[in-house]
Amino acid sequence: MEIPAINLKAIVLVHWLLTIWGCMAMPPNSYAWGNFSVLAVGVWAIAQRDSIDAVVMFLIGMTATILTDIIHFGIFYPAFHETNDFIRFSMGMAILSLILKPLSCFFVYQMYRERGGDYNINFDLETSVDSRCTTDSADSSLFGRRY
């Protein structure tokens, strides 16, 4: 069974709309700042169709907002003791956005692979440490190079 191709524009548009509706009655400004900044990176990923970095940053941002949204709901959702329909709708849209984010991350990861990214995202810290030591001296064993 083949995985359906979902357009990145559709993912950004759906999360933008749900974030706007979720921000109508949500008290913390950090919820709006976090989600809209990740969506701005998503717009960058749309604009640069060949950029692997934009898709990776959008994917990492989406996974980070999953955690921050859970924290926001855990802290601020019980604060609404007297809820009306407006607050209930706003919280429902924010929770729906949170529920859809893992599925969106899956589709963004598929786009990352289509754009030529590796199957696994690795951060090669050993190479970046070795690149700081550029001397060819035999006495220099600053980081213990391995060849």
Side-chain angles (χ1 to χ4, degrees):
M1 186 170 139
E2 188 172 323
I3 299 169
I6 302 293
N7 194 353
L8 189 59
K9 292 176 188 176
I11 292 172
V12 171
L13 179 68
V14 166
H15 283 288
W16 176 76
L17 188 62
L18 290 173
T19 302
I20 285 178
W21 286 341
C23 288
M24 288 192 303
M26 277 291 277
N29 289 332
S30 58
Y31 175 81
W33 277 102
N35 282 294
F36 284 124
S37 61
V38 168
L39 291 174
V41 174
V43 170
W44 173 41
I46 292 170
Q48 290 188 347
R49 295 178 186 260
D50 297 334
S51 176
I52 296 173
D53 293 336
V55 176
V56 168
M57 289 181 64
F58 183 56
L59 180 62
I60 291 171
M62 287 287 280
T63 55
T65 56
I66 290 172
L67 178 66
T68 58
D69 288 355
I70 291 170
I71 292 169
H72 281 116
F73 297 149
I75 293 172
F76 291 103
Y77 188 75
F80 297 117
H81 297 293
E82 297 178 15
T83 58
N84 55 18
D85 291 337
F86 178 69
I87 293 173
R88 224 175 289 140
F89 173 77
S90 179
M91 290 299 294
M93 293 300 109
I95 291 170
L96 181 62
S97 176
L98 175 63
I99 290 171
L100 290 177
K101 279 184 184 179
L103 184 64
S104 298
C105 287
F106 174 74
F107 287 121
V108 171
Y109 181 71
Q110 294 299 322
M111 288 174 211
Y112 166 73
R113 289 176 50 190
E114 288 173 5
R115 290 188 183 189
D118 294 335
Y119 282 99
N120 55 359
I121 299 172
N122 58 353
F123 300 102
D124 193 10
L125 298 176
E126 187 175 312
T127 305
S128 63
V129 169
D130 286 345
S131 65
R132 289 187 284 182
C133 185
T134 58
T135 61
D136 289 334
S137 173
D139 296 334
S140 175
S141 61
L142 183 61
F143 293 112
R145 291 182 176 235
R146 288 174 280 167
Y147 293 102

